Amino acid sequence: MSKTVIVWFRRDFRLNDHTALEKAISYCEENDARWMGLFQLDPHFTENIDLHHDYFFQTVAQFQDTCKKENLPFQIVYGDAIDVFEKVTDTLDVKAVFFNEDKAGYGARRDQDVCDWLKNKEIEFHSYQDYYLHDKQDVRKQDDSMYKVFTPYYKQWRTLKKPQVIQIDLKKVKKYAIEISDSLDSNKKFKNVLKQCERDWKAIGEKSANQRAKRFTKERLKDYDHHRDVPSIVGTSKLSPYLKTGTLSVRTLFHMIAEYDHKGGETFIQELAWRDFYGMVHAEFPEFRDCEFQTKYRGIPWNDDQEKLNKWKRGETGFPIVDAGMRQLNQEGWMHNRLRMITASFLTKDYLIDWRLGERYFEEKLIDYDESSNTGGWQWASSTGTDAVPYFRIFNPTTQAERFDPDGTYIRKYVKELKDVPNKAIHQPSKMSEEEQQDSHCMIGQDYPHPTVNHKEQRQKVLSVYKERT
Ligand code: FAD
């Protein structure tokens, strides 16, 4: 039996620009070893398959197909992480494990358990920073503490040299691959999981990710700064699901963008820095997902109204822009950034419902779900996080809609019952006269709900709740 090196794939399903894979191949070359790809199918993620996991598992299946076509070994083994490594090391002569690290959240805790176990078994392990352009050690204040405000963080982040794209020699990857066998009897469970994944996702996987990134850079990047806030047009990259699953490397993306010297490119790069920023905050503050970063906002008496929560989830709040955002999320597993801000603000400030419940709902649905960015976004919107929107700046859903979707194009796309409502009433359909309601085939209270809250009143309530703690 030849010496085996495991490349443990987790959210990095690609064969290019992949740190752990490149390092594993070098190791094989130096130590006359052979490598095998592994995916641990975690029971934690197979219990409830909603859009987020549907997309994720289909991405894994796509990667498995690519490996098959390229004759590369990639095994999917079901079980808790330690059980999986026990099984793998019982079957193969494993000398080392290579992976791209998770610095925060569930992944970081799992990694720590596996590393402790491997250490005990005297098996080498090598982990690498790969998911971000810069991690928490790279961008620090002079006294080595973390930045709590994005702007100075970004100033420093921008001056730092960015890591280069990692060239991978596919010939070598093939040369040092272990002979393919299904000794781990791995596929049965994954096939069952895939049967529950019903969505027909377009353009999944590494090849599509790179094509889309190139197309975006060529066709839309220039206008990104003007168009990124308009939900009715495709003005953003929609690359987040690829970055999340790692079918697109953030290094590759950064260097593609950096070739262009214009405002659009610069604004886009700043968004990639927000991604790093929230990753850094989460790594510094591991409780981030469950606990407000700002201590003064811990213990807010949130409203426990399940009916309202369900209305928000279904997109039946009676505020067209909020409902359109939630329905886009439910249909597509993706939502425009402006809408994420509006819907999150609505849940926390208009319904005064706990941001954690919103965060968990986004987790189920978002195909780009990322613990750090999602928590960062929710704590931003609920004014509880680091560098969050100040509590007294409360989004008015109607004026937000008038500003960012003036003629209601976006609203009509997702809230079909409002499609014939005239422009002047699209943001407040309940103000239509009965005749206008009849003309636009939309009877308020029957076809579309009355507003479920009074924004002005809620605004006062929420202001006093936050003010008390400031
Ligand atoms: P683009 O505008 O094209 O931006 C390019 C990339 O930059 C994105 O793909 C993303 O990786 C990164 N990015 C952009 N904006 C942000 C941001 N504010 N914070 C962190 N990274 C950013 N992003 C996620 O990737 N996963 C999430 O789970 C997530 N949840 C969010 C929840 C809330 C409440 C809010 C307000 C924002 C959330 N975001 C999340 C950030 C942002 O909405 C998405 O990254 C963006 O909408 C993805 O679409 P895009 O790829 O077209 O973005």
Side-chain angles (χ1 to χ4, degrees):
M1 197 163 33
S2 62
K3 284 185 269 184
T4 307
V5 164
I6 301 293
V7 180
W8 183 14
F9 290 87
R10 300 104 62 81
R11 51 173 178 173
D12 44 7
F13 298 101
R14 62 178 188 274
L15 294 170
N16 290 294
D17 193 6
H18 189 294
T19 314
L21 179 61
E22 196 261 340
K23 298 285 185 192
I25 300 307
S26 300
Y27 182 97
C28 289
E29 216 173 359
E30 283 159 25
N31 295 280
D32 190 26
R34 296 288 176 268
W35 75 277
M36 184 193 89
L38 172 73
F39 173 67
Q40 175 231 347
L41 181 58
D42 196 325
H44 181 80
F45 298 117
T46 56
E47 277 157 22
N48 177 25
I49 297 188
D50 209 323
L51 291 175
H52 160 199
H53 291 124
D54 188 309
Y55 181 89
F56 183 82
F57 289 130
Q58 292 203 48
T59 298
V60 178
Q62 211 278 344
F63 184 67
Q64 188 182 35
D65 283 351
T66 305
C67 290
K68 222 182 240 165
K69 276 188 205 129
E70 297 288 351
N71 245 327
L72 297 174
F74 177 65
Q75 302 242 356
I76 299 174
V77 185
Y78 177 73
D80 290 324
I82 304 289
D83 296 342
V84 165
F85 274 95
E86 229 155 29
K87 193 170 177 187
V88 172
T89 51
D90 280 352
T91 317
L92 300 161
D93 180 20
V94 176
K95 288 292 172 224
V97 177
F98 287 75
F99 60 94
N100 295 324
E101 69 189 6
D102 277 12
K103 268 269 168 75
Y106 179 81
R109 292 191 292 277
R110 173 207 53 205
D111 287 1
Q112 191 55 54
D113 290 347
V114 170
C115 291
D116 290 346
W117 186 87
L118 290 169
K119 205 169 175 183
N120 223 329
K121 294 274 169 188
E122 296 180 352
I123 296 172
E124 278 178 52
F125 55 87
H126 303 272
S127 63
Y128 305 94
Q129 198 297 102
D130 182 85
Y131 189 71
Y132 296 109
L133 286 163
H134 292 296
D135 78 353
K136 71 169 190 171
Q137 285 94 339
D138 295 347
V139 192
R140 313 292 295 175
K141 283 191 188 169
Q142 270 188 349
D143 64 0
D144 200 37
S145 63
M146 71 178 275
Y147 279 105
K148 292 184 184 158
V149 178
F150 178 74
T151 306
Y153 169 89
Y154 178 62
K155 264 195 188 153
Q156 196 189 127
W157 183 97
R158 196 64 184 100
T159 61
L160 298 175
K161 196 167 180 296
K162 299 291 168 280
Q164 286 304 313
V165 170
I166 294 166
Q167 303 298 342
I168 291 193
D169 182 345
L170 196 59
K171 272 193 207 137
K172 274 192 192 166
V173 171
K174 287 185 177 176
K175 180 174 170 191
Y176 291 105
I178 196 173
E179 218 161 274
I180 296 179
S181 76
D182 195 9
S183 50
L184 291 157
D185 191 22
S186 58
N187 271 318
K188 260 184 243 147
K189 183 73 190 177
F190 188 55
K191 276 189 184 144
N192 284 338
V193 169
L194 274 183
K195 276 187 198 147
Q196 298 170 58
C197 300
E198 294 159 344
R199 285 296 181 115
D200 181 17
W201 301 105
K202 301 277 177 278
I204 229 165
E206 182 174 3
K207 199 169 157 208
S208 303
N210 281 285
Q211 281 169 351
R212 288 205 166 191
K214 279 186 195 143
R215 203 182 322 141
F216 166 73
T217 313
K218 233 169 120 185
E219 295 171 8
R220 302 203 304 273
L221 180 66
K222 195 159 70 58
D223 296 319
Y224 177 74
D225 52 325
H226 300 301
H227 290 169
R228 61 184 289 267
D229 254 331
V230 185
S232 60
I233 56 175
V234 185
T236 67
S237 68
K238 295 190 113 175
L239 292 172
S240 50
Y242 300 120
L243 288 170
K244 148 65 201 260
T245 51
T247 48
L248 178 65
S249 150
V250 71
R251 288 180 297 272
T252 300
L253 177 60
F254 174 85
H255 289 290
M256 245 185 231
I257 304 292
E259 281 186 22
Y260 296 82
D261 183 18
H262 50 53
K263 187 85 196 311
E266 197 52 45
T267 309
F268 189 89
I269 284 173
Q270 188 163 330
E271 296 310 311
L272 295 180
W274 271 106
R275 181 175 178 268
D276 282 8
F277 179 70
Y278 285 138
M280 176 277 292
V281 172
H282 197 184
E284 283 280 337
F285 180 54
E287 302 84 12
F288 195 34
R289 195 168 169 243
D290 294 307
C291 185
E292 291 79 3
F293 189 87
Q294 295 192 48
T295 44
K296 64 185 173 200
Y297 296 133
R298 293 178 192 163
I300 286 176
W302 300 106
N303 184 351
D304 190 24
D305 189 331
Q306 284 304 312
E307 206 185 315
K308 281 217 171 72
L309 177 64
N310 287 332
K311 284 193 169 140
W312 175 82
K313 286 183 180 177
R314 290 196 298 262
E316 294 171 3
T317 66
F319 289 82
I321 193 76
V322 175
D323 295 341
M326 294 310 292
R327 293 188 202 184
Q328 178 177 32
L329 176 68
N330 293 332
Q331 284 168 33
E332 299 173 9
W334 186 87
M335 197 202 285
H336 190 280
N337 180 59
R338 174 59 43 186
L339 271 301
R340 295 187 203 206
M341 295 196 279
I342 294 174
T343 54
S345 176
F346 186 86
L347 185 75
T348 53
K349 305 274 178 69
D350 282 85
Y351 278 176
L352 246 174
I353 286 180
D354 194 335
W355 62 270
R356 279 161 281 249
L357 297 177
E359 198 278 336
R360 299 305 187 267
Y361 189 66
F362 273 25
E363 177 189 11
E364 282 172 41
K365 300 289 174 190
L366 279 175
I367 59 174
D368 64 18
Y369 176 72
D370 174 281
E371 267 188 61
S372 312
S373 294
N374 197 48
T375 305
W378 274 95
Q379 290 212 20
W380 181 89
S382 59
S383 303
T384 58
T386 174
D387 204 5
V389 63
Y391 76 87
F392 47 82
R393 263 193 57 208
I394 296 171
F395 276 24
N396 177 328
T398 309
T399 50
Q400 284 285 313
E402 286 163 355
R403 188 162 161 214
F404 296 106
D405 189 31
D407 58 5
T409 308
Y410 174 79
I411 290 172
R412 286 193 187 83
K413 181 169 176 195
Y414 294 101
V415 188
K416 298 282 186 226
E417 58 271 38
L418 298 178
K419 77 177 185 336
D420 297 328
V421 169
N423 283 4
K424 71 175 171 65
I426 192 70
H427 302 304
Q428 297 190 75
S430 62
K431 293 210 165 150
M432 285 190 291
S433 66
E434 206 167 316
E435 205 185 333
E436 284 171 324
Q437 294 181 32
Q438 273 162 1
D439 288 349
S440 42
H441 316 107
C442 181
M443 300 309 290
I444 302 301
Q446 290 171 32
D447 302 312
Y448 186 74
H450 287 284
T452 45
V453 279
N454 178 319
H455 174 73
K456 258 192 189 160
E457 283 171 15
Q458 291 305 107
R459 187 172 184 282
Q460 288 313 319
K461 258 191 222 163
V462 84
L463 279 176
S464 65
V465 166
Y466 277 78
K467 207 169 179 182
E468 248 174 47
R469 297 168 177 270
T470 306

